[in-house]
Amino acid sequence: PHEIATASIFLAADQLQIQLPSRPPWWNACYTRHEDMMQIAKSMNALYRRPFPPRWHPVQRKDAEVPGCLRSPETEEPSPTALSPEASRSRSPKPAPKR
């Protein structure tokens, strides 16, 4: 992990054109070898050059009912009992029995 952080600092400084000290080498303070830092920085740059994957769009199936556990809150219709005052009273805690 510290090598990845060091490579990230290197890439950020390069992008912002900030000069980091080379004497003594700043990456030594992060316990990272220069070769490791450069290899990780190259790999990170290669990832940023790749095209973004296509975006997935949710598809609503019309031929089957979507199970309740898979419904999103936006598409789920509230049940009629959820809005009634009787339903809210029935969910309130019951008083403790008297002894």
Side-chain angles (χ1 to χ4, degrees), residues 23-41:
R23 292 191 184 197
W26 65 272
W27 53 87
N28 285 348
C30 301
Y31 303 104
T32 303
R33 294 181 336 151
H34 185 264
E35 298 81 23
D36 294 338
M37 178 185 66
M38 295 307 290
Q39 181 60 42
I40 293 170

Side-chain angles (χ1 to χ4, degrees), residues 60 65-73 75-76:
Q60 288 290 334
E65 175 69 23
V66 178
C69 62
L70 298 178
R71 287 190 201 137
S72 67
T75 60
E76 191 172 333

Side-chain angles (χ1 to χ4, degrees), residues 2 15 45 52 68-70 72 79 85:
H2 63 279
Q15 181 72 26
N45 267 336
F52 284 105
C69 62
L70 298 178
S72 67
S79 66

Side-chain angles (χ1 to χ4, degrees), residues 28-93:
N28 285 348
C30 301
Y31 303 104
T32 303
R33 294 181 336 151
H34 185 264
E35 298 81 23
D36 294 338
M37 178 185 66
M38 295 307 290
Q39 181 60 42
I40 293 170
K42 287 178 186 177
S43 297
M44 291 171 73
N45 267 336
L47 287 173
Y48 280 105
R49 278 191 238 114
R50 292 177 63 185
F52 284 105
R55 293 184 177 234
W56 296 96
H57 298 285
V59 176
Q60 288 290 334
R61 292 186 61 174
K62 294 184 179 167
D63 59 338
E65 175 69 23
V66 178
C69 62
L70 298 178
R71 287 190 201 137
S72 67
E74 298 86 40
T75 60
E76 191 172 333
E77 295 180 21
S79 66
T81 58
L83 301 176
S84 70
E86 293 82 25
S88 63
R89 270 188 255 123
S90 66
R91 283 188 243 142
S92 61

